[in-house]
Amino acid sequence: MKTSTVIAVVAALLVVGGAYWYWSSGQMALPGTPAADTAGDNGTNDQGVAGQPNTGGTVPAGNTNPTQTNVLAITADATLGQFLTANNGMAVYTYDGDATGVSNCTGSCADTWPPFTVSSSASIKAPDNVSGTVGTIRRADNSLQVTYNGKPLYFYSKDTVAGKASGQGNGGVWFVIKP
């Protein structure tokens, strides 16, 4: 084999390998698919969830509007059955001390039960298999808290594993949401 042929083959392999690396790193999307947003800016994950792991910003399957992101998912547990979680798998809870559209969990309450917040209400939606309405309310600190059927949603600070709901029934006022 001639040296020039070997050089041409090696160059072609390098180009193909580089293109694959570039595409797989989330820098480039295939035609018709959204590129991953892995910025991880301002202490939020790509869905705007403060204090939660950055899980990447790809649009979930089944979402036909690439400007909207599913902020909820359904998880199953042997004891609780199906319940709602944030898109990162962490259980979300409602507080019986809240009124529809109003969060009454602030200060030390919000330290134990961090509000589920997003950076923008315009880009959120519920997945197709969740029948309730997802929205937001403006908290006293001006953050946007996610709501489900008007009830503000929270995480439990002692939940450390996705899919677990150790705050269920806490104090008789904190509950996971059944879809």
Side-chain angles (χ1 to χ4, degrees):
M1 191 179 262
K2 290 186 175 181
T3 303
S4 61
T5 305
V6 171
I7 291 172
V9 169
V10 170
L13 289 172
L14 288 173
V15 169
V16 170
Y20 175 76
W21 171 84
Y22 190 68
W23 172 77
S24 67
S25 69
Q27 302 300 314
M28 182 175 88
L30 294 174
T33 62
D37 171 16
T38 56
D41 52 350
N42 71 6
T44 63
N45 75 7
D46 294 319
Q47 287 74 36
V49 183
Q52 297 302 317
N54 186 331
T55 58
T58 57
V59 177
N63 186 351
T64 58
N65 184 344
T67 62
Q68 292 185 314
T69 301
N70 291 331
V71 293
L72 296 174
I74 297 176
T75 298
D77 176 80
T79 305
L80 296 174
Q82 290 188 336
F83 60 94
L84 293 183
T85 63
N87 59 2
N88 63 4
M90 299 304 287
V92 291
Y93 301 85
T94 59
Y95 173 49
D96 281 352
D98 285 343
T100 299
V102 177
S103 172
N104 291 313
C105 180
T106 60
S108 63
C109 175
D111 291 340
T112 303
W113 298 92
F116 180 4
T117 59
V118 292
S119 57
S120 169
S121 61
S123 64
I124 66 170
K125 75 177 208 97
D128 294 337
N129 60 347
V130 174
S131 61
T133 303
V134 176
T136 59
I137 59 168
R138 180 86 45 198
R139 292 179 55 82
D141 65 1
N142 212 28
S143 63
L144 288 174
Q145 185 171 5
V146 176
T147 62
Y148 182 72
N149 292 334
K151 294 284 285 186
L153 301 180
Y154 303 86
F155 296 105
Y156 183 42
S157 62
K158 294 184 181 180
D159 282 346
T160 58
V161 177
K164 298 296 178 191
S166 58
Q168 169 63 14
N170 192 305
V173 295
W174 292 96
F175 300 98
V176 295
I177 302 133
K178 302 292 186 162

PDB file of all heavy atoms in Angstrom, residues 3-23:
ATOM      1  N   THR A   3       2.227   5.011   0.665  1.00  0.00           N
ATOM      2  CA  THR A   3       2.209   5.900   1.831  1.00  0.00           C
ATOM      3  C   THR A   3       1.083   6.915   1.728  1.00  0.00           C
ATOM      4  O   THR A   3       0.396   7.197   2.702  1.00  0.00           O
ATOM      5  CB  THR A   3       3.566   6.619   1.965  1.00  0.00           C
ATOM      6  OG1 THR A   3       4.602   5.635   2.050  1.00  0.00           O
ATOM      7  CG2 THR A   3       3.604   7.489   3.189  1.00  0.00           C
ATOM      8  N   SER A   4       0.852   7.444   0.543  1.00  0.00           N
ATOM      9  CA  SER A   4      -0.208   8.446   0.375  1.00  0.00           C
ATOM     10  C   SER A   4      -1.588   7.840   0.637  1.00  0.00           C
ATOM     11  O   SER A   4      -2.472   8.490   1.183  1.00  0.00           O
ATOM     12  CB  SER A   4      -0.149   9.069  -1.016  1.00  0.00           C
ATOM     13  OG  SER A   4      -0.334   8.074  -2.010  1.00  0.00           O
ATOM     14  N   THR A   5      -1.804   6.582   0.303  1.00  0.00           N
ATOM     15  CA  THR A   5      -3.074   5.905   0.559  1.00  0.00           C
ATOM     16  C   THR A   5      -3.259   5.696   2.056  1.00  0.00           C
ATOM     17  O   THR A   5      -4.344   5.913   2.591  1.00  0.00           O
ATOM     18  CB  THR A   5      -3.129   4.556  -0.188  1.00  0.00           C
ATOM     19  OG1 THR A   5      -2.891   4.786  -1.566  1.00  0.00           O
ATOM     20  CG2 THR A   5      -4.466   3.880   0.012  1.00  0.00           C
ATOM     21  N   VAL A   6      -2.192   5.269   2.738  1.00  0.00           N
ATOM     22  CA  VAL A   6      -2.248   5.064   4.188  1.00  0.00           C
ATOM     23  C   VAL A   6      -2.556   6.379   4.891  1.00  0.00           C
ATOM     24  O   VAL A   6      -3.400   6.445   5.787  1.00  0.00           O
ATOM     25  CB  VAL A   6      -0.924   4.456   4.708  1.00  0.00           C
ATOM     26  CG1 VAL A   6      -0.895   4.450   6.219  1.00  0.00           C
ATOM     27  CG2 VAL A   6      -0.727   3.066   4.152  1.00  0.00           C
ATOM     28  N   ILE A   7      -1.924   7.450   4.466  1.00  0.00           N
ATOM     29  CA  ILE A   7      -2.169   8.760   5.076  1.00  0.00           C
ATOM     30  C   ILE A   7      -3.614   9.183   4.850  1.00  0.00           C
ATOM     31  O   ILE A   7      -4.283   9.693   5.753  1.00  0.00           O
ATOM     32  CB  ILE A   7      -1.175   9.806   4.522  1.00  0.00           C
ATOM     33  CG1 ILE A   7       0.238   9.487   5.037  1.00  0.00           C
ATOM     34  CG2 ILE A   7      -1.592  11.215   4.918  1.00  0.00           C
ATOM     35  CD1 ILE A   7       1.330  10.329   4.412  1.00  0.00           C
ATOM     36  N   ALA A   8      -4.148   8.953   3.664  1.00  0.00           N
ATOM     37  CA  ALA A   8      -5.535   9.312   3.359  1.00  0.00           C
ATOM     38  C   ALA A   8      -6.517   8.519   4.223  1.00  0.00           C
ATOM     39  O   ALA A   8      -7.501   9.061   4.735  1.00  0.00           O
ATOM     40  CB  ALA A   8      -5.829   9.094   1.880  1.00  0.00           C
ATOM     41  N   VAL A   9      -6.248   7.217   4.426  1.00  0.00           N
ATOM     42  CA  VAL A   9      -7.123   6.377   5.253  1.00  0.00           C
ATOM     43  C   VAL A   9      -7.070   6.833   6.701  1.00  0.00           C
ATOM     44  O   VAL A   9      -8.099   6.974   7.368  1.00  0.00           O
ATOM     45  CB  VAL A   9      -6.747   4.886   5.107  1.00  0.00           C
ATOM     46  CG1 VAL A   9      -7.448   4.032   6.153  1.00  0.00           C
ATOM     47  CG2 VAL A   9      -7.054   4.395   3.711  1.00  0.00           C
ATOM     48  N   VAL A  10      -5.883   7.104   7.228  1.00  0.00           N
ATOM     49  CA  VAL A  10      -5.735   7.567   8.617  1.00  0.00           C
ATOM     50  C   VAL A  10      -6.430   8.909   8.801  1.00  0.00           C
ATOM     51  O   VAL A  10      -7.137   9.135   9.785  1.00  0.00           O
ATOM     52  CB  VAL A  10      -4.235   7.635   9.009  1.00  0.00           C
ATOM     53  CG1 VAL A  10      -4.055   8.351  10.341  1.00  0.00           C
ATOM     54  CG2 VAL A  10      -3.633   6.239   9.064  1.00  0.00           C
ATOM     55  N   ALA A  11      -6.271   9.819   7.852  1.00  0.00           N
ATOM     56  CA  ALA A  11      -6.921  11.128   7.931  1.00  0.00           C
ATOM     57  C   ALA A  11      -8.440  10.976   7.946  1.00  0.00           C
ATOM     58  O   ALA A  11      -9.139  11.635   8.709  1.00  0.00           O
ATOM     59  CB  ALA A  11      -6.474  12.008   6.763  1.00  0.00           C
ATOM     60  N   ALA A  12      -8.963  10.081   7.104  1.00  0.00           N
ATOM     61  CA  ALA A  12     -10.417   9.860   7.071  1.00  0.00           C
ATOM     62  C   ALA A  12     -10.906   9.305   8.395  1.00  0.00           C
ATOM     63  O   ALA A  12     -11.954   9.714   8.912  1.00  0.00           O
ATOM     64  CB  ALA A  12     -10.775   8.921   5.921  1.00  0.00           C
ATOM     65  N   LEU A  13     -10.170   8.378   8.981  1.00  0.00           N
ATOM     66  CA  LEU A  13     -10.549   7.811  10.281  1.00  0.00           C
ATOM     67  C   LEU A  13     -10.523   8.865  11.368  1.00  0.00           C
ATOM     68  O   LEU A  13     -11.392   8.890  12.253  1.00  0.00           O
ATOM     69  CB  LEU A  13      -9.637   6.637  10.643  1.00  0.00           C
ATOM     70  CG  LEU A  13      -9.838   5.365   9.824  1.00  0.00           C
ATOM     71  CD1 LEU A  13      -8.755   4.344  10.150  1.00  0.00           C
ATOM     72  CD2 LEU A  13     -11.214   4.787  10.060  1.00  0.00           C
ATOM     73  N   LEU A  14      -9.542   9.741  11.348  1.00  0.00           N
ATOM     74  CA  LEU A  14      -9.479  10.819  12.335  1.00  0.00           C
ATOM     75  C   LEU A  14     -10.661  11.765  12.201  1.00  0.00           C
ATOM     76  O   LEU A  14     -11.234  12.209  13.195  1.00  0.00           O
ATOM     77  CB  LEU A  14      -8.162  11.575  12.206  1.00  0.00           C
ATOM     78  CG  LEU A  14      -6.916  10.833  12.701  1.00  0.00           C
ATOM     79  CD1 LEU A  14      -5.655  11.612  12.356  1.00  0.00           C
ATOM     80  CD2 LEU A  14      -7.008  10.581  14.195  1.00  0.00           C
ATOM     81  N   VAL A  15     -11.055  12.085  10.988  1.00  0.00           N
ATOM     82  CA  VAL A  15     -12.203  12.964  10.760  1.00  0.00           C
ATOM     83  C   VAL A  15     -13.474  12.307  11.281  1.00  0.00           C
ATOM     84  O   VAL A  15     -14.274  12.926  11.991  1.00  0.00           O
ATOM     85  CB  VAL A  15     -12.332  13.338   9.267  1.00  0.00           C
ATOM     86  CG1 VAL A  15     -13.664  14.013   8.987  1.00  0.00           C
ATOM     87  CG2 VAL A  15     -11.180  14.230   8.856  1.00  0.00           C
ATOM     88  N   VAL A  16     -13.683  11.055  10.936  1.00  0.00           N
ATOM     89  CA  VAL A  16     -14.885  10.340  11.396  1.00  0.00           C
ATOM     90  C   VAL A  16     -14.877  10.224  12.920  1.00  0.00           C
ATOM     91  O   VAL A  16     -15.884  10.477  13.576  1.00  0.00           O
ATOM     92  CB  VAL A  16     -14.986   8.941  10.724  1.00  0.00           C
ATOM     93  CG1 VAL A  16     -16.064   8.104  11.371  1.00  0.00           C
ATOM     94  CG2 VAL A  16     -15.240   9.105   9.241  1.00  0.00           C
ATOM     95  N   GLY A  17     -13.759   9.859  13.510  1.00  0.00           N
ATOM     96  CA  GLY A  17     -13.665   9.741  14.976  1.00  0.00           C
ATOM     97  C   GLY A  17     -13.905  11.068  15.659  1.00  0.00           C
ATOM     98  O   GLY A  17     -14.592  11.152  16.673  1.00  0.00           O
ATOM     99  N   GLY A  18     -13.364  12.143  15.112  1.00  0.00           N
ATOM    100  CA  GLY A  18     -13.576  13.475  15.691  1.00  0.00           C
ATOM    101  C   GLY A  18     -15.025  13.895  15.606  1.00  0.00           C
ATOM    102  O   GLY A  18     -15.578  14.469  16.540  1.00  0.00           O
ATOM    103  N   ALA A  19     -15.663  13.612  14.482  1.00  0.00           N
ATOM    104  CA  ALA A  19     -17.082  13.949  14.331  1.00  0.00           C
ATOM    105  C   ALA A  19     -17.927  13.167  15.325  1.00  0.00           C
ATOM    106  O   ALA A  19     -18.847  13.712  15.934  1.00  0.00           O
ATOM    107  CB  ALA A  19     -17.544  13.679  12.904  1.00  0.00           C
ATOM    108  N   TYR A  20     -17.605  11.881  15.513  1.00  0.00           N
ATOM    109  CA  TYR A  20     -18.340  11.083  16.489  1.00  0.00           C
ATOM    110  C   TYR A  20     -18.142  11.651  17.883  1.00  0.00           C
ATOM    111  O   TYR A  20     -19.086  11.814  18.639  1.00  0.00           O
ATOM    112  CB  TYR A  20     -17.886   9.621  16.460  1.00  0.00           C
ATOM    113  CG  TYR A  20     -18.556   8.804  17.535  1.00  0.00           C
ATOM    114  CD1 TYR A  20     -19.875   8.396  17.400  1.00  0.00           C
ATOM    115  CD2 TYR A  20     -17.880   8.484  18.704  1.00  0.00           C
ATOM    116  CE1 TYR A  20     -20.497   7.677  18.397  1.00  0.00           C
ATOM    117  CE2 TYR A  20     -18.494   7.768  19.707  1.00  0.00           C
ATOM    118  CZ  TYR A  20     -19.804   7.364  19.547  1.00  0.00           C
ATOM    119  OH  TYR A  20     -20.420   6.676  20.543  1.00  0.00           O
ATOM    120  N   TRP A  21     -16.932  11.989  18.276  1.00  0.00           N
ATOM    121  CA  TRP A  21     -16.691  12.556  19.608  1.00  0.00           C
ATOM    122  C   TRP A  21     -17.479  13.846  19.775  1.00  0.00           C
ATOM    123  O   TRP A  21     -18.116  14.075  20.784  1.00  0.00           O
ATOM    124  CB  TRP A  21     -15.201  12.824  19.817  1.00  0.00           C
ATOM    125  CG  TRP A  21     -14.978  13.592  21.076  1.00  0.00           C
ATOM    126  CD1 TRP A  21     -14.880  13.104  22.335  1.00  0.00           C
ATOM    127  CD2 TRP A  21     -14.906  15.022  21.204  1.00  0.00           C
ATOM    128  NE1 TRP A  21     -14.741  14.124  23.231  1.00  0.00           N
ATOM    129  CE2 TRP A  21     -14.754  15.322  22.550  1.00  0.00           C
ATOM    130  CE3 TRP A  21     -14.953  16.070  20.289  1.00  0.00           C
ATOM    131  CZ2 TRP A  21     -14.643  16.619  23.027  1.00  0.00           C
ATOM    132  CZ3 TRP A  21     -14.844  17.360  20.761  1.00  0.00           C
ATOM    133  CH2 TRP A  21     -14.690  17.625  22.115  1.00  0.00           C
ATOM    134  N   TYR A  22     -17.432  14.711  18.763  1.00  0.00           N
ATOM    135  CA  TYR A  22     -18.121  15.993  18.831  1.00  0.00           C
ATOM    136  C   TYR A  22     -19.625  15.789  19.004  1.00  0.00           C
ATOM    137  O   TYR A  22     -20.261  16.407  19.838  1.00  0.00           O
ATOM    138  CB  TYR A  22     -17.834  16.788  17.563  1.00  0.00           C
ATOM    139  CG  TYR A  22     -18.294  18.211  17.603  1.00  0.00           C
ATOM    140  CD1 TYR A  22     -17.685  19.135  18.440  1.00  0.00           C
ATOM    141  CD2 TYR A  22     -19.346  18.642  16.807  1.00  0.00           C
ATOM    142  CE1 TYR A  22     -18.114  20.451  18.471  1.00  0.00           C
ATOM    143  CE2 TYR A  22     -19.781  19.943  16.834  1.00  0.00           C
ATOM    144  CZ  TYR A  22     -19.154  20.845  17.666  1.00  0.00           C
ATOM    145  OH  TYR A  22     -19.596  22.140  17.702  1.00  0.00           O
ATOM    146  N   TRP A  23     -20.213  14.881  18.243  1.00  0.00           N
ATOM    147  CA  TRP A  23     -21.643  14.611  18.344  1.00  0.00           C
ATOM    148  C   TRP A  23     -21.981  13.994  19.688  1.00  0.00           C
ATOM    149  O   TRP A  23     -22.920  14.396  20.362  1.00  0.00           O
ATOM    150  CB  TRP A  23     -22.089  13.682  17.212  1.00  0.00           C
ATOM    151  CG  TRP A  23     -23.499  13.234  17.390  1.00  0.00           C
ATOM    152  CD1 TRP A  23     -24.622  13.943  17.148  1.00  0.00           C
ATOM    153  CD2 TRP A  23     -23.933  11.984  17.900  1.00  0.00           C
ATOM    154  NE1 TRP A  23     -25.727  13.222  17.457  1.00  0.00           N
ATOM    155  CE2 TRP A  23     -25.333  11.999  17.934  1.00  0.00           C
ATOM    156  CE3 TRP A  23     -23.278  10.838  18.339  1.00  0.00           C
ATOM    157  CZ2 TRP A  23     -26.068  10.926  18.391  1.00  0.00           C
ATOM    158  CZ3 TRP A  23     -24.029   9.781  18.774  1.00  0.00           C
ATOM    159  CH2 TRP A  23     -25.399   9.843  18.802  1.00  0.00           C
TER     160      TRP A  23
END
